[in-house]
Amino acid sequence: MTTYIVRRLLQAIPLLLIITAVVFVLIQLTGDPLAAYGRGRVRAEDRARLRHQLGLDQPVLPAITLDENRQITVVPGQYLTWLGRVASFDWGESIVTKQPVLEMIGNRLRNTLILMGAAYVITLAASLLLGVYSAARQYSFFDNLLTTASFIGYSFPIFTLALLLLYLFAVNFKAWGLPYFPTGGMYDLEAGPTIPQYLWHLVLPVAALSIIDIAGYTRFLRSSMLEVLSQDYVRTARAKGVMERIILLRHALKNAALPFVTLLGLNLPFALAGAIVTETIFAWPGMGRLFWEHVQKSDYPVVMGILLVVSVAVVLFQIITDVTYTFLDPRIRLT
Amino acid sequence: MNRRSPRSARPVAWVLLIVLAAPILAACSQAVAPTAVPPPQPTQAPAQPATAPPQPSATPVPKPTDTPKPKSLTIGLHQEPDILNWDYTNEWVAQLVIETINPGLFNWDDKNQIFPELAAEVPSQTNGGISADNKTITLKLRPGLKWHDGTPLTSADLKFTWQAVMNEKNTVASRDGYDQIAGIDTPDDTTAVVHFQDVYAPWASKIFRSIMPAHILGSMDSIDKADWNRAPIGAGPYKFVEWVSGDHITVAANPDYWRGRPKLDRIIWKIYPDVEGLVAAVKTGDVDIGVDFTEAKIPEFEQLAPKVRLVTLPTGWVEHYLFNLGPKTGPPFFQDVNVRKAIALAIDRQTIVDKLLFGKTKVARTFWDNTYWENTAIKALPYDPEQAKKLLDDAGWKVGPDGIRAKGGVKLSFTHTTQSGNQLREDVQLLVQQNLKDAGIEMKIQNVPADTLFAGFTEGGPVASGTYQMAGYTDGAFPDPDNGGSNYWTCGQIPTADKPDGTNWYRVCNPELDKLFEQAVRVVDPAERKKLYDQIQQIMADNVYIIPMYDRLDIYTAADRVVGFQPGWFSSFYWNIYAWDVK
């Protein structure tokens, strides 16, 4: 197991190098950090100065040139310079805010984890519950209801759902004199950052994030449960008179959960993408928003930093998913 | 046969749960721990060096002992300021916040009149502030000014600001104006004598819009990474308190402000990254003032009266359509003034203003609209499709079988590029397209996202690199008329491979204009200077170098409890923030 994990971690390094190199080049191709910097109102001489001061006049990739005197000059280029700094745990500074990138990400990562974590736990709990229940009571009234609801839920684009929740439960509920949720932020400034405040402000964004995922996961789990429940060993267990609850939870769910765990692990990057929209609409100061705002400004040190964090998270989650397999299915051995 | 004991199933579930819940648990325990301590990880104002108590006794503020609630005002922004150092930003939202904490020497009121803020007076030749040769300006500071940490603000700070901006180690956003200074003398603490290399008229709006404290930043090699940039100590009506990244910025009343303590105890800028989120907050009353909305929101806000007041101000930001006038880069027919004029005459701009802008603004006339410098004798070209057709007929553009005019095998057809996803711009574009079609002109829409539209020359941005044919966006020339003057309209500023950062995206090259613009920055007397800008605008109008579409509006909302909110658009929305109050 340990060798397996170490090997996977080592394999991740070239992968990360390729990802970062491709993204770095793409960012540089698609946007100019100085273009977003004050539009045409920045004078040519200021642009030229900044381009030089910020090293943006360097080539993106390493370049070797041979001049007429047959002198070879090697320019490391912006990517290698960036990589060198990352390797020494200095991820550079944002072009627009001049803050260290690690500090910026650090300020936001925690908030994203709170939001994502809460949404993940609720999604997981609810979809396990609903998925197992509707598989056990296939074609019951509740199952049909859930099927309809999950199709509706799954077809909502997240920004529509988020805006809908915002307008209904924050704006209209207040107008109608009902108890209402806050429009955004993590806590009321009067009340300060307390746990009840966090929880209260989490409700709408977590709902926006979870509803769609619950809808999808419930469907997924229901069908994989149904598949497992029709297998011979389940029939054997039933014939032996094992309690239905034990059959469902121990015999069936454990096997049905295998593809579900894969899905959860693979969906992490999409979950982070969903966080961009949710964090933006509910003014939740998380990392997804930070990413989006700085993509628009072509602020490559910040964008690269966040992508690196997300890439590492994806790789780690894949390893965790693999390790979880061995717990769920003793036949799987990681070597 | 599964030989696991029944208990072994539970650890599996626990592992799953713990793995998935670990981040949130870790995050929560972190979040929750410091409840007694200030909010998590804000940029705190550096502790005052002398740790003097915030002088409750020093200034006997008329405050009842049973202080009820602090008078607090919340302003909603839909964009987060990038940095709170004036010289490091081009962002308007950042400037809004900076001005309340760290204003400069002068400011402009809602009538566009300059007034001294930290300066004691506006220098002129009559008060001896401007030398006879116009090259030396003597700046007088108000006596007794203090930084928020109690250190006196002196002319040494002015000199330091100039040096910091010019320092090669500092990546300031602009050196505009400061690079015209030959030297600064500081004969005493309140006097700075600024020697310009040449006569430089725009100085007041370019230099010392905000001042950097020498006693904090003076010893640093580079101020790029100074904490001060995000937690500034200024001399303005409000002191910086905290900035929680992505959430809010708080400032508190400065009892030592030279005008006296402002009326509000604190102001909170709440950051809503999405306009819809901010609109919702305006509706629920979560914010008292909402800043910067698009014209499309006007009907929605009008319904909120009288609880929420809609404030619309026609500004100096001019939405205009550009002809690519480069002989090599633009369509050849744009070289003909009659074609340009015909296109302008064929567009029904008044209907655009009435229908799409709800009649809240007017058809634009010049690039200097609503400023002191506007040549008010110039009238917008009317909507006159008949005259447009006649002009084109006379120039030999005959309507072809497909309804599009052509001459010598060339169709009168061009592309129009603006920012995609901007509802108003796209709606206007469709109206214009129809108007032009009626006159036999084909306009094909080719929109791109904003960051592509404004990408640089080397990145192939359509306006900068000249690959566009007609384009539309907003710009303007203020607070100084040259801010969007000589850098926009002179031959030397046309971007080329050798000069990729040139900002004459119109690609206008008219030696007569070059000369006038050059003269205009060397005339200090406003009345004399205005004559030159009047001529410039006349030439631009006669040649129809651009189609001024409409004056953009600044759109705000203010809750009815807000008193004294009297925004100016010209330079400072907060020019009288010291006088704001809440009911």
Side-chain angles (χ1 to χ4, degrees):
Chain A
M1 178 82 83
T2 321
T3 5
Y4 172 80
I5 294 176
V6 170
R7 206 181 63 220
R8 282 292 299 269
L9 286 174
L10 287 178
Q11 281 170 350
I13 292 174
L15 184 70
L16 287 177
L17 282 178
I18 295 170
I19 295 176
T20 51
V22 169
V23 174
F24 199 96
V25 172
L26 281 178
I27 296 175
Q28 300 278 347
L29 284 180
T30 49
D32 172 11
L34 295 182
Y37 214 68
R39 301 283 153 85
R41 307 211 118 215
V42 179
R43 300 177 310 159
E45 46 268 55
D46 283 317
R47 270 179 205 246
R49 171 181 55 81
L50 278 165
R51 208 176 287 285
H52 179 67
Q53 283 179 325
L54 298 169
L56 298 169
D57 52 354
Q58 296 288 315
V60 176
L61 293 173
I64 301 170
T65 47
L66 199 68
D67 66 13
E68 56 267 28
N69 302 328
R70 303 199 137 262
Q71 284 285 334
I72 297 173
T73 40
V74 180
V75 189
Q78 294 182 51
Y79 174 65
L80 283 191
T81 312
W82 174 81
L83 203 64
R85 294 187 75 177
V86 169
S88 56
F89 292 97
D90 165 15
W91 292 17
E93 291 83 35
S94 156
I95 291 172
V96 285
T97 72
K98 311 289 174 203
Q99 264 180 304
V101 170
L102 271 177
E103 185 185 313
M104 292 174 78
I105 295 177
N107 282 343
R108 301 294 194 90
L109 184 61
R110 187 186 67 97
N111 302 334
T112 291
L113 289 179
I114 293 176
L115 179 65
M116 299 298 306
Y120 229 61
V121 168
I122 287 177
T123 304
L124 194 66
S127 41
L128 275 175
L129 207 72
L130 297 174
V132 171
Y133 187 87
S134 61
R137 304 264 189 281
Q138 199 188 2
Y139 303 134
S140 66
F141 171 73
F142 181 77
D143 180 36
N144 287 332
L145 187 76
L146 206 70
T147 303
T148 319
S150 59
F151 274 118
I152 296 173
Y154 195 63
S155 32
F156 258 114
I158 188 156
F159 67 90
T160 315
L161 181 67
L163 279 177
L164 206 73
L165 291 172
L166 175 70
Y167 265 83
L168 186 62
F169 293 109
V171 179
N172 288 345
F173 267 40
K174 185 168 189 182
W176 297 333
L178 295 166
Y180 57 93
F181 287 102
T183 49
M186 296 194 297
Y187 52 86
D188 278 344
L189 297 177
E190 305 284 340
T194 61
I195 305 176
Q197 279 291 328
Y198 270 92
L199 292 177
W200 187 237
H201 282 75
L202 268 172
V203 174
L204 290 185
V206 165
L209 277 173
S210 314
I211 288 173
I212 295 170
D213 281 350
I214 292 174
Y217 290 159
T218 307
R219 297 300 304 156
F220 189 85
L221 198 65
R222 176 182 179 272
S223 62
S224 63
M225 275 294 282
L226 285 175
E227 200 182 304
V228 174
L229 281 173
S230 65
Q231 305 238 335
D232 289 346
Y233 73 90
V234 173
R235 198 174 47 194
T236 314
R238 279 195 178 126
K240 280 166 62 186
V242 179
M243 275 167 64
E244 187 65 21
R245 209 171 65 97
I246 307 242
I247 291 176
L248 275 180
L249 297 183
R250 200 170 306 151
H251 293 102
L253 178 60
K254 226 176 110 185
N255 283 299
L258 214 56
F260 186 59
V261 168
T262 318
L263 189 73
L264 283 178
L266 291 181
N267 262 1
L268 180 83
F270 299 103
L272 284 169
I276 295 180
V277 176
T278 315
E279 286 173 1
T280 303
I281 290 177
F282 292 103
W284 188 268
M287 198 174 68
R289 234 178 83 188
L290 186 72
F291 177 75
W292 177 235
E293 284 162 8
H294 288 266
V295 164
Q296 289 171 314
K297 292 174 181 169
S298 295
D299 189 0
Y300 77 88
V302 180
V303 174
M304 289 304 299
I306 296 176
L307 280 174
L308 195 60
V309 170
V310 174
S311 309
V312 170
V314 169
V315 169
L316 284 181
F317 256 68
Q318 277 173 353
I319 297 175
I320 291 173
T321 311
D322 287 350
V323 173
T324 317
Y325 279 175
T326 59
F327 283 100
L328 289 172
D329 187 344
R331 286 172 301 184
I332 296 174
R333 294 212 193 288
L334 303 176
T335 43
Chain B
M1 171 73 85
N2 191 343
R3 286 187 57 247
R4 284 181 177 223
S5 68
R7 289 176 65 194
S8 68
R10 245 172 257 151
V12 174
W14 278 114
V15 167
L16 242 171
L17 197 74
I18 287 168
V19 162
L20 293 164
I24 189 190
L25 289 177
C28 276
S29 57
Q30 247 179 43
V32 170
T35 27
V37 201
Q41 298 145 344
T43 324
Q44 285 286 342
Q48 300 190 354
T51 350
Q55 46 215 168
S57 52
T59 31
V61 184
K63 215 160 67 176
T65 37
D66 56 334
T67 7
K69 257 177 80 179
K71 273 191 177 181
S72 178
L73 181 86
T74 307
I75 303 173
L77 302 174
H78 59 71
Q79 196 190 340
E80 181 164 17
D82 49 0
I83 197 166
L84 295 183
N85 183 333
W86 183 283
D87 295 297
Y88 274 81
T89 184
N90 289 306
E91 282 185 5
W92 182 66
V93 282
Q95 293 173 348
L96 295 184
V97 179
I98 295 166
E99 283 184 323
T100 62
I101 302 168
N102 193 17
L105 293 184
F106 309 101
N107 212 337
W108 285 261
D109 66 14
D110 59 336
K111 305 284 183 301
N112 305 344
Q113 285 302 309
I114 186 169
F115 65 88
E117 172 62 36
L118 297 186
E121 61 190 14
V122 179
S124 66
Q125 282 188 334
T126 12
N127 66 22
I130 298 177
S131 65
D133 66 355
N134 285 327
K135 284 188 184 178
T136 302
I137 313 272
T138 304
L139 298 167
K140 286 271 185 198
L141 286 167
R142 289 180 192 279
L145 287 175
K146 276 190 181 135
W147 293 101
H148 293 155
D149 62 4
T151 313
L153 189 160
T154 67
S155 53
D157 293 308
L158 296 182
K159 186 168 180 179
F160 168 72
T161 302
W162 166 57
Q163 288 165 336
V165 169
M166 296 307 291
N167 185 341
E168 201 49 49
K169 297 244 169 73
N170 297 334
T171 60
V172 292
S174 172
R175 288 180 180 170
D176 202 3
Y178 288 105
D179 55 5
Q180 303 288 323
I181 296 174
I184 295 180
D185 299 329
T186 51
D188 62 60
D189 276 357
T190 56
T191 312
V193 183
V194 183
H195 303 283
F196 284 96
Q197 291 156 4
D198 201 344
V199 179
Y200 183 65
W203 65 274
S205 65
K206 303 264 183 168
I207 61 171
F208 304 128
R209 295 294 300 275
S210 187
I211 302 163
M212 293 190 234
H215 70 286
I216 294 170
L217 303 172
S219 57
M220 294 178 188
D221 182 38
S222 161
I223 57 174
D224 279 12
K225 296 184 201 170
D227 292 338
W228 187 85
N229 290 336
R230 303 189 65 77
I233 283 173
Y238 291 89
K239 291 180 179 189
F240 176 83
V241 177
E242 67 169 2
W243 181 352
V244 176
S245 168
D247 197 70
H248 68 273
I249 299 173
T250 309
V251 296
N254 170 21
D256 295 333
Y257 180 52
W258 66 267
R259 268 184 247 255
R261 188 184 190 281
K263 290 178 177 148
L264 295 164
D265 294 307
R266 66 171 188 192
I267 297 175
I268 297 161
W269 281 272
K270 191 103 180 71
I271 298 148
Y272 291 84
D274 180 60
V275 182
E276 289 305 325
L278 177 56
V279 171
V282 166
K283 289 182 176 171
T284 58
D286 285 356
V287 299
D288 297 307
I289 290 175
V291 175
D292 188 28
F293 297 99
T294 57
E295 291 84 351
K297 293 277 171 216
I298 289 174
E300 201 174 338
F301 286 133
E302 277 183 327
Q303 290 175 356
L304 300 177
K307 269 172 73 183
V308 174
R309 182 162 64 99
L310 171 71
V311 182
T312 57
L313 299 168
T315 67
W317 291 110
V318 178
E319 175 77 12
H320 63 302
Y321 281 3
L322 299 76
F323 296 102
N324 186 337
L325 293 167
K328 293 208 180 73
T329 51
F333 46 76
F334 279 174
Q335 298 294 319
D336 182 355
V337 62
N338 286 322
V339 172
R340 299 198 296 266
K341 194 173 176 189
I343 292 171
L345 286 165
I347 299 174
D348 188 359
R349 288 176 284 172
Q350 192 58 49
T351 298
I352 291 169
V353 165
D354 292 343
K355 291 276 155 54
L356 296 174
L357 294 146
F358 312 99
K360 298 273 183 198
T361 184
K362 62 174 173 52
V363 171
R365 298 181 288 233
T366 73
F367 201 64
W368 282 261
D369 271 14
N370 298 325
T371 69
Y372 168 79
W373 312 96
E374 178 186 352
N375 182 346
T376 45
I378 294 175
K379 299 281 171 260
L381 285 172
Y383 171 52
D384 190 342
E386 293 317 311
Q387 200 195 334
K389 288 174 193 162
K390 187 171 178 303
L391 275 174
L392 291 172
D393 287 339
D394 293 351
W397 293 93
K398 299 288 176 237
V399 183
D402 54 353
I404 300 164
R405 288 170 191 273
K407 178 177 159 184
V410 180
K411 273 194 186 179
L412 193 48
S413 166
F414 51 87
T415 60
H416 186 280
T417 305
T418 186
Q419 182 189 347
S420 58
N422 181 313
Q423 190 63 47
L424 177 65
R425 288 207 170 120
E426 292 181 340
D427 288 349
V428 170
Q429 213 176 18
L430 289 177
L431 263 173
V432 171
Q433 192 180 35
Q434 189 56 49
N435 282 163
L436 292 180
K437 199 176 161 206
D438 295 343
I441 304 164
E442 184 181 48
M443 184 177 101
K444 289 179 284 196
I445 292 172
Q446 204 176 74
N447 292 344
V448 292
D451 53 343
T452 310
L453 184 61
F454 296 107
F457 183 90
T458 40
E459 284 75 24
V463 268
S465 66
T467 53
Y468 77 103
Q469 297 193 319
M470 185 185 257
Y473 58 87
T474 287
D475 215 323
F478 61 88
D480 189 86
D482 192 49
N483 235 358
S486 54
N487 51 337
Y488 280 17
W489 307 98
T490 52
C491 305
Q493 285 286 347
I494 296 176
T496 58
D498 295 333
K499 193 182 164 59
D501 287 317
T503 44
N504 180 352
W505 294 344
Y506 310 92
R507 291 168 167 76
V508 170
C509 187
N510 180 336
E512 205 183 346
L513 275 184
D514 274 26
K515 210 159 60 188
L516 287 166
F517 274 117
E518 177 55 30
Q519 273 177 290
V521 285
R522 307 290 171 211
V523 178
V524 174
D525 181 63
E528 285 302 311
R529 201 173 170 211
K530 185 170 186 314
K531 287 181 191 159
L532 294 169
Y533 281 103
D534 282 348
Q535 282 184 57
I536 287 170
Q537 289 164 69
Q538 194 61 54
I539 292 173
M540 288 174 57
D542 291 344
N543 286 287
V544 202
Y545 282 146
I546 54 169
I547 307 176
M549 295 295 290
Y550 52 87
D551 296 338
R552 288 291 298 272
L553 294 167
D554 270 357
I555 299 171
Y556 308 103
T557 61
D560 59 351
R561 69 191 277 261
V562 179
V563 180
F565 178 62
Q566 201 182 332
W569 64 267
F570 185 63
S571 160
S572 174
F573 153 69
Y574 289 123
W575 66 275
N576 71 339
I577 198 159
Y578 53 84
W580 291 9
D581 203 351
V582 287
K583 280 192 278 208

